[in-house]
Amino acid sequence: MAATAVDDPEAIFARAREVWSARTDPAFITCGVRVRYEHAGRIFDDWYQDSYRAADARLAVAALPQPEDAKRLGGVVFSIFGAKVFDTNPDAEPVVLAPPQVPPNDAFGIAPPPTPVPAPPIAPVPKPSASPLREIGFVVQRERAYRIELVGVETLRYGDAYHLKLTPLRDPEVNRLRELWIAKVGAATLRAVVAGLFNGPPYGSVSWTIDYVPIEGRYYVQQIRAMAPLHFSQATAVDARFDFVDYRFPDTIPDYVFTEAREFKSS
């Protein structure tokens, strides 16, 4: 029997894209991010603050100093050709994970990234000398990037969700989505699995699970967790994860915070 609109995986995915594309975020968003991993039975944490400006889709990431920094950052590192072979500080972190350069509203390719608001022109744009041709219609073409299958319906923390499996039809290193959990009511994305994070190894060599949390009627990134160990040249980070906490929506953030920030690019 043919699938109905209710259980058609293509329709479910299309609805999820519509929900992402239709959302309007507050002007400013801040959150704390804990970067954690395990190594040799020990847990290592680093803290950052992410600041996001919706007007031009800018993300600023600032490291937050910790009381134990003087202890763990002391000592001398001996290395050969860039690879650490010895550290005089037994409390030093074996590796330092990448900063959380992930916007709190990242769709991870489910929908196009937010479009920055263009700056107003310096001078008025001159009017054309001749009447333009009348527009009678337009065509939008979107090439399918995935083959989408409906695995079933599962109950997650924030409700029942359609579980979709996605297989890239081209450019698997660009089209990284592999699984999605889309809320049955409202079509919000509750969870996703992506093949690789950031660019390059070891982050791009493993799959990651992304969980979202509802805050003030919108879903934001709650956790990004590696599904396999991260193998660095000097050590292996086990159960690496980025935990997004303490979301706030201030009325404004000073411009200097975003001076060195980058424009949002899809992960």
Side-chain angles (χ1 to χ4, degrees):
M1 182 173 62
T4 65
V6 175
D7 58 12
D8 178 11
E10 294 282 355
I12 295 170
F13 182 66
R15 177 58 181 151
R17 288 178 60 96
E18 292 174 1
V19 169
W20 272 110
S21 299
R23 69 181 281 163
T24 302
D25 283 291
F28 298 96
I29 305 170
T30 67
C31 64
V33 185
R34 182 184 67 184
V35 181
R36 167 172 286 190
Y37 69 92
E38 299 178 20
H39 173 76
R42 297 175 58 195
I43 295 176
F44 297 89
D45 289 342
D46 287 294
W47 281 91
Y48 297 84
Q49 174 157 322
D50 279 10
S51 300
Y52 181 79
R53 184 169 62 190
D56 55 358
R58 291 277 168 173
L59 176 70
V61 179
L64 299 178
Q66 302 301 307
E68 66 275 12
D69 280 354
K71 181 178 180 181
R72 67 174 183 163
L73 297 178
V76 178
V77 178
F78 295 90
S79 61
I80 298 177
F81 300 116
K84 183 171 69 174
V85 295
F86 182 74
D87 197 319
T88 62
N89 183 0
D91 296 312
E93 294 187 46
V95 296
V96 177
L97 297 189
Q101 293 277 4
V102 177
N105 57 350
D106 199 334
F108 289 90
I110 301 170
T115 302
V117 178
I122 298 176
V125 178
K127 295 181 180 181
S129 57
S131 298
L133 296 175
R134 180 183 177 187
E135 182 180 62
I136 60 175
F138 61 92
V139 175
V140 175
Q141 180 177 345
R142 177 179 296 157
E143 188 177 358
R144 294 177 68 236
Y146 299 97
R147 182 175 69 251
I148 306 174
E149 305 171 61
L150 177 60
V151 177
V153 176
E154 300 175 12
T155 301
L156 302 184
R157 180 178 182 181
Y158 299 113
D160 292 342
Y162 295 108
H163 180 186
L164 304 180
K165 177 182 177 182
L166 294 86
T167 303
L169 298 176
R170 64 181 188 282
D171 301 328
E173 294 183 357
V174 175
N175 299 313
R176 299 184 180 183
L177 288 172
R178 297 297 179 267
E179 295 182 76
L180 286 174
W181 285 258
I182 308 300
K184 290 190 67 176
V185 178
T189 301
L190 305 183
R191 177 178 293 169
V193 170
V194 296
L197 192 71
F198 308 137
N199 292 315
Y203 308 96
S205 304
V206 304
S207 293
W208 299 74
T209 299
I210 298 100
D211 280 299
Y212 292 90
V213 58
I215 302 175
E216 297 188 6
R218 305 174 187 86
Y219 279 81
Y220 295 96
V221 176
Q222 180 181 43
Q223 185 183 75
I224 305 173
R225 194 165 192 166
M227 299 176 68
L230 303 180
H231 297 289
F232 295 85
S233 60
Q234 63 270 40
T236 296
V238 178
D239 196 21
R241 53 202 185 270
F242 301 80
D243 294 306
F244 292 67
V245 300
D246 193 25
Y247 271 96
R248 302 189 183 190
F249 308 97
D251 293 332
T252 187
I253 296 177
D255 287 343
Y256 68 79
V257 172
F258 300 97
T259 300
E260 301 299 329
R262 69 180 180 89
E263 182 179 318
F264 166 57
K265 300 297 182 183
S266 184
S267 299

